Every structure is written in C-alpha cells, then in structure tokens.
Amino acid sequence: MKVYCAGPFFNQGEKDEMAKIASTIEECSHTTFLPQRDGLELSKGAMPYDIFCLDTYEVLVDCDMVVANLNGRVPDEGTVAEAAMAFGNSRYVILYKSDSRTVFQGQDNPLVTFLGYYHVSSLDELRTALIRTMQFNYAGLIQDRLEYGKKLAMGKVK
C-alpha cells in the first residue's frame, strides 16, 4: 500500500515531524509519498498549479491512503484539502494529532475531525491504525455519514 503523508513542512521542526511519520509508515512495510521529499515545492521554484496537480494525482490515484498531520493551533489548509479529497473519494484517512493546541477547546473543527475514521496521537497508535484501517469498509463509513446527514437535513433526527 502507498500512503500519502499530508502535513505542514514550512520549517525544520515540521519537516522533521513529517519525516518521522513517513518513516513510521515505511517501517510498517508501506511505501510513502512525502511531498517535502518526493514532490514539488514553491521554495524550490515549482509553479503552484504543478504542485496542485501532482499532489491531487498522488492523493486520488497513486496512493491508497492519506495520513494527515493536524498538529498546530489549526490544521494546515493544504493538509485539510488533501484529507478532504481523499475522504470524498473513499480513500482511507488517518488523522494524526499529538498537539493539544486547538481553537475549539481541545477539538479541531468538526469538518476536519470527521474526515478520518482513526484519530491517533502517537506514532505507536499510527502503527496500529495502519493495520486496522485496511480491515475497515471505508466506503461504508462515508455512506453511513451521508445517510445520517440526509436524516438531519430532513429533520428526522432529534
């Protein structure tokens, strides 16, 4: 399985954290796409459209799963976009957050929080989630959430 490693990499600390996440995934016998290593960067002269197209291809075609690093006071907007693309296309999404800073009293925005099925806060938990995720019917999860949303929209849930 190939895993897209989504997360911020705008300073050395973030790059180191993303490299640790990718390394943990690779130790579990998966391959990874780590944008800071395998992709394009504005800081290295890449064009924004090229970055968008490559990352979209990797998320939607070449990778089977996204591990989204949500660390920070608010999650990185590119990470959220990648997780949302994956979720909307029935790709597996694991949300990683070892940072307690949030805007919503310990929780991220609900529209981010429920993009994944597994929420992990350590690299050990990530290892376990990688195994469990492949045993889970992710498309069924999305359909269940859509059906529940429909009931809410129709006023059938109190």
Side-chain angles (χ1 to χ4, degrees), residues 11-129:
N11 62 52
Q12 196 56 51
E14 291 172 343
K15 288 179 181 183
D16 293 346
E17 182 174 49
M18 291 306 299
K20 286 178 188 173
I21 290 169
S23 178
T24 298
I25 295 166
E26 291 160 358
E27 289 168 7
C28 295
S29 300
H30 302 298
T31 58
T32 59
F33 179 85
L34 179 60
Q36 71 195 48
R37 178 191 66 206
D38 307 317
L40 303 171
E41 292 185 48
L42 284 172
S43 64
K44 295 181 180 174
M47 301 303 294
Y49 184 72
D50 295 347
I51 294 169
F52 173 82
C53 290
L54 175 61
D55 289 359
T56 300
Y57 170 79
E58 290 295 334
V59 168
L60 297 179
V61 177
D62 205 34
C63 293
D64 306 293
M65 175 188 298
V66 169
V67 171
N69 178 359
L70 303 180
N71 281 337
R73 188 182 64 76
V74 294
D76 168 67
E77 59 272 268
T79 302
V80 172
E82 291 156 345
M85 281 190 275
F87 176 85
N89 285 277
S90 299
R91 294 278 195 246
Y92 298 99
V93 179
I94 296 174
L95 303 175
Y96 175 87
K97 186 166 185 110
S98 62
D99 185 344
S100 62
R101 293 176 295 159
T102 63
V103 176
F104 299 99
Q105 301 153 353
Q107 301 291 318
D108 284 316
N109 184 305
L111 291 173
V112 175
T113 299
F114 294 100
L115 287 174
Y117 182 74
Y118 285 104
H119 300 78
V120 300
S121 60
S122 72
L123 295 177
D124 285 337
E125 288 178 1
L126 176 57
R127 288 180 185 91
T128 301

